Amino acid sequence: MTVRFNSHLTSIPGYTPGVPKGHTAEDVAGSDLAQLASNESPFPPLPEVVEAITKAASAMNRYPDPQATRLRQRLADRHEIEPGQISVANGSCDFLLAAAEALLEPGAEIVYAWPSFSMYPNMAAMTGAREIRVPLREDQTHDLEAMLAEITAATQIVIVCNPNNPTGTYIPFEEIASFVARVPEHVTIILDEAYIEFQVHDDPALSIDLLKRHPNLVLLRTFSKTHSLAGLRVGYAMASPAFKAAFDAVRQPFSVNALAQAAAVEALEHGDLIQRQIESQIAERVRVEAGVAELGLTTTDSQANFSWISLGKKGEEIEDAVVGVLASAGIVVRQGRLLGGPGWLRVSYGTPEENDRFLAALADAMKLHG
Ligand SMILES: *Cc1c(COP(=O)(O)O)cnc(C)c1O
C-alpha cells in the first residue's frame, strides 16, 4: 500500500520560482545577478522597518496577535474604512487560496482573464470547481464584456487583475466601476490590485469607495511589491465584514507572523518615502520602454513595475535563445511561455544600473537572434 493523495492534487499547477535553481534570496543579494523575474522592489526595506523587525524578533517565544489589531487599525486609518473591513494574510496569495476554500466547490465556476496571475488556476484545481479563462484582447487588456458574458448562476468568483500580471495593462477606474455594477450580486468580484500604486491614471483610493455600494467586492493589496516586504509575506483584503469572517474561518489563526505585522506597521509610517520609490520605478518604466522601443520591439503600455515585451514575429522561436543570452549576462527574467504568453518576456524593473544591463543584453540577444 502506498499513500493516496486527494484527487485534486494532481491538477494543481506547481510554482516555478523566479530565482534560478540553487540560489537563495541571499545569494542573489550578494551577487551581480539582476533578479528581474518576480516583480519585487529593488529597494531593500527601509532601515526603520529592519529595526522594527529586529526589535520584534526578541519576542518570538510568543504567538503573534491573531487579529493583527494594530496593523488592521493602521490600514483602516490609511484607507478611511473600518478595521472590520480589513483582513490581513500571509501575502495576498493567501487570500486567493482562502477565497477558493470559502467560495468554491465542485459544480461552482470561477471566471478570470488569461494570461493573468499564475495563482488563479490553483483556485479551481484545489477545489474541483470549473474554471473559465477569458482570453485577453489583442492589446493584452481584459475583455470585461466577454467576462460578463461568461457569468452564470453557477459563477461564484470573477477575478480582475488590475494592472494585470503579466501584461502590465490597466483598465481605467470608470470601466471597473461599471463592470462591478453589472456583475450579479451572488458573484464575488476579486479585484487584485497588487500593482495599483504603479498606475498613473487614477487615484488608487477610488476602488475602495466602491466597497460602500458593493458588498460582493474584495480588493486585494500587498506589501510585497511596493513596501519591499515580499520575503516576509504580508498582504491585505478590503471587503465587507462577512468576507473577513469567511477568511478567518478557513485559515489558521496565526497566518501573519509577528515580524511581518511589526514590519508592515512601521512601513506604513513612511508613506512619503515609499511614494518616492514608486515614482522612481515609474521613471525607470519610461526609460526601459523607450530603450526597448529603440530596439524595434513593442511593449504593452505598462502601468506596473514590469514590462511585457513582445519578441516580434519570430517571438516563439527565439524566446529560449533570448532568455539564454540574458541569463549568461546574469539577468533573470520571466519567459512568456511559462506565463501563458509565448513569444513575450516579462521583465521587472531593477535599479537603474540593472535596467541598463538588461537593455544592453537584450540588444545583444536581438542582434544574435532577432
Ligand atoms: C505579486 C502578486 C500578488 C501577491 O503577492 P503576495 O506576495 O502573496 O502578497 C497578488 N496578485 C498578483 C497579481 C501579483 O502579481
Side-chain angles (χ1 to χ4, degrees), residues 79 81 193 204-212 219 221 238:
H79 294 306
I81 59 176
E193 299 188 319
L206 287 173
S207 52
I208 298 169
D209 222 38
L210 292 176
L211 293 171
K212 289 191 191 115
L219 305 178
R221 298 203 179 179
M238 295 181 276

Side-chain angles (χ1 to χ4, degrees), residues 103-264:
L103 291 156
L104 299 179
E105 58 198 324
E109 296 177 356
I110 170 170
V111 178
Y112 56 85
W114 199 254
S116 193
F117 187 38
S118 59
M119 281 297 288
Y120 306 154
N122 288 45
M123 298 169 72
M126 67 188 263
T127 55
R130 191 164 91 88
E131 63 172 5
I132 294 109
R133 298 187 186 186
V134 178
L136 296 177
R137 296 188 294 200
E138 189 84 28
D139 64 356
Q140 306 285 296
T141 60
H142 278 67
D143 189 341
L144 294 180
E145 286 301 321
M147 292 178 76
L148 277 169
E150 293 293 347
I151 290 175
T152 69
T155 308
Q156 282 285 85
I157 298 177
V158 58
I159 310 180
V160 176
C161 186
N162 197 38
N164 189 43
N165 178 7
T167 65
T169 46
Y170 178 71
I171 309 161
F173 171 74
E174 285 311 322
E175 285 176 49
I176 291 288
S178 76
F179 173 82
V180 168
R182 288 168 68 197
V183 172
E185 282 169 8
H186 73 274
V187 179
T188 296
I189 305 156
I190 298 181
L191 198 51
D192 186 340
E193 299 188 319
Y195 303 98
I196 194 75
E197 295 91 346
F198 293 103
Q199 57 78 31
V200 295
H201 294 288
D202 296 308
D203 180 348
L206 287 173
S207 52
I208 298 169
D209 222 38
L210 292 176
L211 293 171
K212 289 191 191 115
R213 272 170 286 145
H214 302 287
N216 56 335
L217 177 63
V218 177
L219 305 178
L220 296 187
R221 298 203 179 179
T222 176
F223 286 87
S224 296
K225 312 290 160 60
T226 45
H227 288 72
S228 304
L229 293 176
L232 264 183
R233 316 299 305 124
V234 53
Y236 58 104
M238 295 181 276
S240 70
F243 280 104
K244 179 175 183 302
F247 293 148
D248 285 351
V250 297
R251 291 176 310 147
Q252 59 141 324
F254 303 114
S255 64
V256 186
N257 73 73
L259 301 182
Q261 291 186 33

Side-chain angles (χ1 to χ4, degrees), residues 41 43 78 195-200 225-227 271-285 304-305 349:
S41 170
F43 304 102
R78 172 168 173 202
Y195 303 98
I196 194 75
E197 295 91 346
F198 293 103
Q199 57 78 31
V200 295
K225 312 290 160 60
T226 45
H227 288 72
D272 291 349
L273 249 174
I274 304 270
Q275 189 55 37
R276 259 181 274 152
Q277 294 183 345
I278 291 169
E279 277 155 22
S280 76
Q281 290 303 89
I282 293 171
E284 285 303 292
R285 175 166 80 204
N305 64 347
Y349 309 130

Side-chain angles (χ1 to χ4, degrees), residues 39 71 134 177 282 309:
N39 302 344
L71 177 54
V134 178
I282 293 171
I309 301 170

